[in-house]
Short mmCIF file of all heavy atoms in Angstrom, two decimals:
data_model
loop_
_atom_site.label_atom_id
_atom_site.label_comp_id
_atom_site.label_asym_id
_atom_site.label_seq_id
_atom_site.Cartn_x
_atom_site.Cartn_y
_atom_site.Cartn_z
N CYS A 147 -9.53 -3.47 3.30
CA CYS A 147 -9.06 -2.93 4.59
C CYS A 147 -10.23 -2.53 5.48
O CYS A 147 -11.18 -1.89 5.03
CB CYS A 147 -8.17 -1.71 4.37
SG CYS A 147 -6.53 -2.16 3.81
N PHE A 148 -10.10 -2.87 6.76
CA PHE A 148 -11.05 -2.39 7.77
C PHE A 148 -10.52 -1.07 8.31
O PHE A 148 -9.31 -0.92 8.53
CB PHE A 148 -11.16 -3.38 8.93
CG PHE A 148 -11.61 -4.76 8.53
CD1 PHE A 148 -10.81 -5.87 8.76
CD2 PHE A 148 -12.85 -4.94 7.92
CE1 PHE A 148 -11.24 -7.15 8.40
CE2 PHE A 148 -13.29 -6.22 7.56
CZ PHE A 148 -12.47 -7.32 7.79
N LEU A 149 -11.46 -0.13 8.55
CA LEU A 149 -11.06 1.16 9.14
C LEU A 149 -11.00 0.99 10.65
O LEU A 149 -12.01 0.68 11.29
CB LEU A 149 -12.08 2.24 8.76
CG LEU A 149 -12.21 2.55 7.26
CD1 LEU A 149 -13.24 3.66 7.03
CD2 LEU A 149 -10.88 2.94 6.64
N ARG A 150 -9.81 1.23 11.23
CA ARG A 150 -9.62 0.91 12.65
C ARG A 150 -10.24 1.94 13.58
O ARG A 150 -10.37 1.67 14.78
CB ARG A 150 -8.13 0.71 12.93
CG ARG A 150 -7.32 1.98 12.86
CD ARG A 150 -5.84 1.70 12.61
NE ARG A 150 -5.27 0.82 13.60
CZ ARG A 150 -4.15 0.11 13.39
NH1 ARG A 150 -3.52 0.17 12.22
NH2 ARG A 150 -3.65 -0.64 14.34
N HIS A 151 -10.62 3.13 13.07
CA HIS A 151 -11.30 4.09 13.95
C HIS A 151 -12.77 3.68 14.16
O HIS A 151 -13.44 4.23 15.03
CB HIS A 151 -11.18 5.53 13.42
CG HIS A 151 -11.92 5.79 12.14
ND1 HIS A 151 -11.37 5.57 10.90
CD2 HIS A 151 -13.18 6.25 11.91
CE1 HIS A 151 -12.26 5.89 9.96
NE2 HIS A 151 -13.36 6.30 10.55
N LEU A 152 -13.27 2.73 13.34
CA LEU A 152 -14.63 2.22 13.53
C LEU A 152 -14.57 0.96 14.39
O LEU A 152 -13.49 0.47 14.72
CB LEU A 152 -15.26 1.95 12.16
CG LEU A 152 -15.37 3.17 11.24
CD1 LEU A 152 -15.96 2.80 9.89
CD2 LEU A 152 -16.20 4.29 11.90
N SER A 153 -15.75 0.42 14.75
CA SER A 153 -15.78 -0.70 15.71
C SER A 153 -15.47 -2.03 15.03
O SER A 153 -15.56 -2.16 13.80
CB SER A 153 -17.16 -0.77 16.34
OG SER A 153 -18.10 -1.17 15.34
N GLU A 154 -15.17 -3.02 15.87
CA GLU A 154 -14.96 -4.37 15.34
C GLU A 154 -16.28 -4.91 14.77
O GLU A 154 -16.29 -5.62 13.77
CB GLU A 154 -14.42 -5.31 16.41
CG GLU A 154 -14.09 -6.67 15.83
CD GLU A 154 -13.44 -7.63 16.81
OE1 GLU A 154 -13.98 -7.79 17.93
OE2 GLU A 154 -12.40 -8.22 16.47
N GLN A 155 -17.39 -4.53 15.39
CA GLN A 155 -18.70 -4.95 14.89
C GLN A 155 -18.90 -4.45 13.46
O GLN A 155 -19.36 -5.19 12.58
CB GLN A 155 -19.79 -4.39 15.83
CG GLN A 155 -21.21 -4.77 15.45
CD GLN A 155 -21.41 -6.29 15.36
OE1 GLN A 155 -20.77 -7.04 16.11
NE2 GLN A 155 -22.24 -6.72 14.41
N ASP A 156 -18.53 -3.22 13.20
CA ASP A 156 -18.63 -2.64 11.86
C ASP A 156 -17.75 -3.43 10.88
O ASP A 156 -18.14 -3.68 9.73
CB ASP A 156 -18.20 -1.16 11.92
CG ASP A 156 -18.87 -0.32 10.85
OD1 ASP A 156 -18.90 -0.77 9.69
OD2 ASP A 156 -19.35 0.78 11.17
N ALA A 157 -16.56 -3.83 11.35
CA ALA A 157 -15.66 -4.63 10.49
C ALA A 157 -16.31 -5.98 10.16
O ALA A 157 -16.25 -6.43 9.01
CB ALA A 157 -14.32 -4.83 11.19
N PHE A 158 -16.93 -6.61 11.16
CA PHE A 158 -17.62 -7.88 10.92
C PHE A 158 -18.73 -7.72 9.87
O PHE A 158 -18.88 -8.55 8.98
CB PHE A 158 -18.24 -8.42 12.22
CG PHE A 158 -17.39 -9.43 12.93
CD1 PHE A 158 -16.85 -9.15 14.18
CD2 PHE A 158 -17.12 -10.67 12.36
CE1 PHE A 158 -16.05 -10.08 14.84
CE2 PHE A 158 -16.32 -11.61 13.01
CZ PHE A 158 -15.78 -11.31 14.26
N GLU A 159 -19.50 -6.63 9.99
CA GLU A 159 -20.60 -6.40 9.04
C GLU A 159 -20.05 -6.17 7.64
O GLU A 159 -20.61 -6.65 6.64
CB GLU A 159 -21.47 -5.22 9.50
CG GLU A 159 -22.36 -5.60 10.67
CD GLU A 159 -22.91 -4.42 11.47
OE1 GLU A 159 -22.92 -3.28 10.94
OE2 GLU A 159 -23.31 -4.65 12.64
N THR A 160 -18.92 -5.45 7.56
CA THR A 160 -18.29 -5.20 6.26
C THR A 160 -17.81 -6.51 5.64
O THR A 160 -18.01 -6.75 4.44
CB THR A 160 -17.10 -4.22 6.46
OG1 THR A 160 -17.62 -3.03 7.04
CG2 THR A 160 -16.39 -3.91 5.17
N LEU A 161 -17.22 -7.37 6.46
CA LEU A 161 -16.77 -8.68 5.97
C LEU A 161 -17.96 -9.48 5.42
O LEU A 161 -17.89 -10.04 4.32
CB LEU A 161 -16.07 -9.44 7.11
CG LEU A 161 -15.59 -10.85 6.78
CD1 LEU A 161 -14.50 -10.81 5.71
CD2 LEU A 161 -15.05 -11.54 8.04
N GLU A 162 -19.04 -9.51 6.17
CA GLU A 162 -20.24 -10.24 5.73
C GLU A 162 -20.74 -9.72 4.38
O GLU A 162 -21.07 -10.48 3.49
CB GLU A 162 -21.37 -10.12 6.77
CG GLU A 162 -21.23 -11.04 7.95
CD GLU A 162 -20.99 -12.51 7.55
OE1 GLU A 162 -21.74 -13.00 6.67
OE2 GLU A 162 -20.05 -13.13 8.07
N GLN A 163 -20.77 -8.36 4.27
CA GLN A 163 -21.25 -7.76 3.01
C GLN A 163 -20.35 -8.12 1.84
O GLN A 163 -20.80 -8.18 0.70
CB GLN A 163 -21.24 -6.22 3.13
CG GLN A 163 -22.36 -5.64 3.96
CD GLN A 163 -22.12 -4.16 4.24
OE1 GLN A 163 -21.35 -3.49 3.55
NE2 GLN A 163 -22.76 -3.65 5.27
#
Side-chain angles (χ1 to χ4, degrees):
C147 284
F148 301 120
L149 298 181
R150 70 202 304 159
H151 67 272
L152 300 178
S153 68
E154 185 175 50
Q155 181 57 33
D156 208 314
F158 263 115
E159 285 161 20
T160 302
L161 178 64
E162 280 309 312
Q163 285 169 19

